[in-house]
Amino acid sequence: DAEITQSPRHKITETGRQVTLACHQTWNHNNMFWYRQDLGHGLRLIHYSYGVQDTNKGEVSDGYSVSRSNTEDLPLTLESAASSQTSVYFCASSGLAGGSQETQYFGPGTRLLVL
Amino acid sequence: GNSVTQMEGPVTLSEEAFLTINCTYTATGYPSLFWYVQYPGEGLQLLLKATKADDKGSNKGFEATYRKETTSFHLEKGSVQVSDSAVYFCALREAAGDKIIFGKGTRLHILP
């Protein structure tokens, strides 16, 4: 069955370190998204991609970057981790847009603690 | 800009009670509307959706009707179970593009 996976599931790091969170999907979806989930804020979009070599900033993109070198993967990098980036991170993917109303499928999440 | 507002929780009900979680939206054009559910320790999963006015989405005993005149998509279930305890997110998919905007979520506790 097609799925979307994230790794690691839990990560503890120190302020100032670079951290990369992996997201891999086997749906062959063009669209991939990264969100963070925090109490009182719900889910907020960090970055998204509509295809290989395409990346776009979401509403809370500062301090984060992504790259899309193939269809299956969209790694999220925290260039210099800050305590404000302690959160639960979710990756999601969806099929082609262009008029069709596609559902986003979510990974299980990565819980990140920045000390 | 587009936005989704849903009732704040937590909502606590007894088993077999009637559930309503209110959701209203602000959007240009004709967005698709969704309810997602998040069980403890898991990611979000689609519960139901509606793509045009007056459509009713339904799944697992839950229902929601797309009301354009009131810009609402309230979630209802006639008889809740303990296993329905979760966080529920109302969301809209913008008419242009493929981004989804989520509400802040409503935590639901069902007591046996």
Side-chain angles (χ1 to χ4, degrees):
Chain A
D1 285 346
E3 60 177 357
I4 179 166
T5 57
Q6 294 182 234
S7 62
R9 293 295 311 278
H10 302 271
K11 175 76 176 178
I12 301 174
T13 191
E14 296 177 343
T15 302
R17 289 191 180 267
Q18 184 181 79
V19 176
T20 297
L21 309 183
C23 175
H24 180 80
Q25 53 98 2
T26 59
W27 292 95
N28 200 32
H29 283 157
N30 281 344
N31 307 327
M32 296 184 73
F33 308 84
W34 273 105
Y35 297 89
R36 58 179 290 175
Q37 183 178 25
D38 305 285
L39 273 176
H41 292 280
L43 281 113
R44 292 181 290 176
L45 184 63
I46 305 171
H47 281 287
Y48 58 103
S49 168
Y50 288 151
V52 176
Q53 303 301 331
D54 176 72
T55 61
N56 305 279
K57 294 182 178 180
E59 63 176 300
V60 290
S61 60
D62 287 349
Y64 303 94
S65 64
V66 293
S67 61
R68 187 87 180 273
S69 59
N70 59 52
T71 300
E72 296 79 19
D73 299 289
L74 187 70
L76 176 71
T77 297
L78 287 68
E79 303 293 343
S80 177
S83 57
S84 60
Q85 294 177 308
T86 292
S87 186
V88 181
Y89 291 85
F90 288 99
C91 182
S93 72
S94 68
L96 283 171
S100 60
Q101 307 296 319
E102 295 290 344
T103 300
Q104 286 190 13
Y105 295 87
F106 280 79
T110 294
R111 190 173 295 273
L112 177 67
L113 175 61
V114 182
L115 300 175
Chain B
N2 297 339
S3 65
V4 175
T5 303
Q6 61 182 104
M7 60 190 292
E8 292 188 20
V11 173
T12 302
L13 296 172
S14 297
E15 203 166 24
E16 299 184 2
F18 184 86
L19 168 71
T20 299
I21 300 178
N22 291 336
C23 172
T24 57
Y25 67 91
T26 301
T28 55
Y30 298 90
S32 292
L33 301 174
F34 305 83
W35 278 99
Y36 280 81
V37 58
Q38 183 181 30
Y39 298 104
E42 299 183 9
L44 279 70
Q45 53 186 276
L46 180 69
L47 180 60
L48 53 85
K49 68 178 181 181
T51 58
K52 60 184 187 296
D54 300 323
D55 266 3
K56 177 185 285 188
S58 61
N59 185 25
K60 300 181 181 180
F62 291 90
E63 293 182 340
T65 301
Y66 190 143
R67 300 287 189 201
K68 185 119 180 101
E69 64 275 13
T70 55
T71 62
S72 65
F73 193 55
H74 304 321
L75 182 68
E76 297 182 334
K77 186 174 185 182
S79 177
V80 293
Q81 305 301 311
V82 172
S83 57
D84 293 327
S85 298
V87 181
Y88 292 82
F89 292 90
C90 185
L92 69 83
R93 181 182 180 277
E94 297 177 326
D98 202 31
K99 289 191 293 181
I100 291 184
I101 296 171
F102 290 88
K104 293 186 176 181
T106 302
R107 184 174 298 276
L108 175 66
H109 294 289
I110 305 300
L111 304 175

